[in-house]
Amino acid sequence: MTNLTFWVLTAITAGALLGHYYPDQAVEMKILGEGFISVVKLFINPIIFLTITLGIVGMGDLKKVGKVGAKALLYFEVVTTLALLVGIIVANIIRPGHGVVTDSLEKGDISKYAGKAHDFSWLQFFFDNVTLQVLLFALVFGSVLSRIEAKQRMVDGLNFVSKYVFRALHLVMIFAPIGAFGGMAFTIGKYGIHTLLPLAKLMGTVYATMAVFIFGVLGLILRTYKISLWRFLKYIREELLIVLGTSSSEAGLPSLMAKLERMGCSKPVVGLVVPAGYSFNLDGTTIYLSMATIFLAQVFNVHLNMGQILSLIGILMVTSKGAAGVTGSGFVVLASTLTAIKVIPVEGLALLLGVDRFMSEARAITNFIGNGVATIWLANNEKEFDRTKMEYAFNNIQETENVVTDNLSDVTQPEQTKL
């Protein structure tokens, strides 16, 4: 995987150029981006199952597993609520929707999003979210396995499977530049740079707000344990570029889990926090939903009083948690939010159709970083973090990138503190 960062960055640039100068051909590259994401998704659930099961067996203390899970959900709620408030405050200060002329913008068909918004339910969310189901099954299976006396043969078998699953993932990640190229080419070719101009103020506000959240809020969270956000971002730079190129945080999930373990987070914490975070800790999506709602209110000159804003906060605290489990993701959740508020025309979604794809990169990257930070913070809080391994990983980034998908036991480096 040597120089993968260079090749992913080159592929993103090439995809953008193809999309700009040859849009028709670029749109056909969609299959490359979607194909890569689809292959990576095949690894997500097996990795979650293996990581959690082996982690629980290794931990032995089932009460601690429950404690980590409860603390993770509390962390998710606090941080996403903070992201929600940041989005609302910034949108009200900058007012990106002020002066937008709706007649000059291309309208799109939003009926499919509005229809799905009415159909959303938490029960359906659970049954549609396979990752959550795998997470719960692994918790039960790991708990049962940890109580079986003659478990070693099964544990050895799971370790053997885990080793080769990660090796297979290593081979897949070699093709990351192709996926990034296809994703970026399709985005630019399909929507074009010109579609950004009418809503440039909204785009700029969303990107700036997410940058402030990442380097301000998430940076402060890591600083509580004297960990540099810059060093962490440099450590996961390859994954960030893959997420940027594919507009999907899932594309980097398996590799993120492996890197978090290598930098000192214990396997059980990684296995619990990262998968759960992809459903309940969507910082970027939460910021986007809050800002888009306020933006549309400003476009249609709808003045939201304090009671309506508090209602908006309450609704988004619930609907934003379902964004990962609904087809159409944030757009469907945004439609359900507007439907619930009943004071902002849901037809306003048509204004966002052209630029939503360009803002998905910011959402995905913020979600991705947010889940990494959550895992590091919780691992430190639970004293399940090895700072020696972190320093080793940060100081040997290239070596870590070359072997990140191998088992930790196969790599010569400081031993992780036993749980």
Side-chain angles (χ1 to χ4, degrees):
M1 203 178 289
T2 305
N3 295 323
L4 182 61
T5 301
F6 168 78
W7 289 115
V8 171
L9 188 58
T10 301
I12 291 174
T13 303
L17 292 173
L18 179 66
H20 181 66
Y21 291 105
Y22 303 97
D24 292 338
Q25 291 84 346
V27 170
E28 296 177 359
M29 299 297 105
K30 179 180 180 181
I31 189 173
L32 298 178
E34 291 188 342
F36 175 74
I37 294 174
S38 297
V39 173
V40 172
K41 282 184 176 180
L42 294 176
F43 288 86
I44 292 176
N45 291 326
I47 287 175
I48 289 172
F49 172 76
L50 292 166
T51 301
I52 294 179
T53 301
L54 292 171
I56 291 176
V57 173
M59 180 178 284
D61 187 356
L62 298 182
K63 290 183 179 179
K64 191 163 189 176
V65 175
K67 180 184 175 183
V68 173
K71 191 174 290 187
L73 291 177
L74 178 61
Y75 173 96
F76 296 159
E77 191 59 47
V78 171
V79 176
T80 54
T81 300
L82 185 57
L84 172 61
L85 293 173
V86 168
I88 290 177
I89 291 171
V90 173
N92 276 290
I93 293 175
I94 299 180
R95 297 184 61 80
H98 181 69
V100 174
V101 181
T102 59
D103 292 339
S104 64
L105 299 174
E106 181 182 357
K107 303 296 188 295
D109 180 15
I110 63 165
S111 58
K112 59 180 179 179
Y113 301 108
K116 289 177 183 177
H118 288 289
D119 297 334
F120 175 75
S121 70
W122 279 101
L123 184 62
Q124 192 63 38
F125 163 62
F126 174 77
F127 283 111
D128 288 345
N129 197 320
V130 179
T131 298
L132 271 184
Q133 296 172 31
V134 173
L135 173 62
L136 292 175
F137 177 74
L139 287 171
V140 174
F141 184 79
S143 300
V144 173
L145 184 60
S146 67
R147 295 178 180 274
I148 299 176
E149 292 186 6
K151 61 188 175 186
Q152 194 55 47
R153 180 174 296 181
M154 185 174 293
V155 171
D156 290 341
L158 290 175
N159 276 316
F160 178 82
V161 173
S162 178
K163 177 179 179 179
Y164 284 96
V165 166
F166 275 98
R167 287 190 175 180
L169 174 63
H170 172 80
L171 296 176
V172 171
M173 295 307 292
I174 293 176
F175 297 94
I178 297 177
F181 168 79
M184 185 58 67
F186 168 76
T187 299
I188 301 297
K190 174 72 172 180
Y191 301 103
I193 299 297
H194 67 280
T195 60
L196 304 181
L197 299 180
L199 301 178
K201 189 175 181 180
L202 173 63
M203 286 273 298
T205 304
V206 169
Y207 271 82
T209 303
M210 293 193 185
V212 169
F213 181 82
I214 291 171
F215 294 105
V217 176
L218 297 182
L220 286 174
I221 290 174
L222 284 186
R223 196 175 298 176
T224 59
Y225 289 106
K226 298 180 180 180
I227 297 175
S228 169
L229 176 66
W230 278 108
R231 295 184 75 191
F232 174 61
L233 295 181
K234 183 178 180 182
Y235 176 62
I236 60 170
R237 61 192 181 190
E238 285 188 355
E239 289 72 26
L240 290 176
L241 286 174
I242 292 171
V243 171
L244 174 66
T246 60
S247 297
S248 170
S249 54
E250 288 183 328
L253 184 150
S255 185
L256 174 66
M257 294 178 69
K259 281 197 170 182
L260 286 170
E261 283 188 49
R262 289 193 59 78
M263 71 170 283
C265 298
S266 70
K267 184 184 287 289
V269 173
V270 173
L272 282 170
V273 177
V274 176
Y278 268 68
S279 293
F280 299 106
N281 188 43
L282 305 173
D283 299 331
T285 302
T286 302
I287 291 174
Y288 170 73
L289 290 172
S290 61
M291 298 193 76
T293 303
I294 298 298
F295 166 79
L296 292 177
Q298 293 167 356
V299 168
F300 292 103
N301 294 314
V302 175
H303 175 71
L304 299 175
N305 57 40
M306 185 55 65
Q308 290 170 324
I309 290 178
L310 291 176
S311 298
L312 171 63
I313 292 173
I315 293 169
L316 284 174
M317 284 175 65
V318 176
T319 57
S320 62
K321 302 301 184 296
V326 183
T327 304
S329 190
F331 228 65
V332 176
V333 174
L334 182 57
S336 67
T337 303
L338 296 180
T339 303
I341 296 174
K342 298 180 180 179
V343 294
I344 303 173
V346 71
E347 292 77 16
L349 287 174
L351 299 175
L352 301 175
L353 284 175
V355 296
D356 181 75
R357 176 77 184 192
F358 290 97
M359 288 187 284
S360 65
E361 286 89 351
R363 294 198 300 266
I365 287 176
T366 306
N367 292 338
F368 189 79
I369 297 172
N371 283 314
V373 170
T375 306
I376 295 171
W377 189 89
L378 285 161
N380 276 275
N381 189 261
E382 286 295 306
K383 295 181 173 55
E384 300 285 355
F385 188 80
D386 190 332
R387 297 189 70 88
T388 303
K389 293 190 76 170
M390 179 189 74
E391 292 298 331
Y392 182 92
F394 283 177
N395 293 328
N396 299 272
I397 293 177
Q398 188 59 57
E399 178 183 344
T400 300
E401 290 173 348
N402 291 339
V403 299
V404 68
T405 53
D406 290 332
N407 279 356
L408 297 178
S409 58
D410 294 337
V411 184
T412 303
Q413 66 176 80
E415 287 293 326
Q416 183 171 347
T417 303
K418 298 297 181 182
L419 298 178

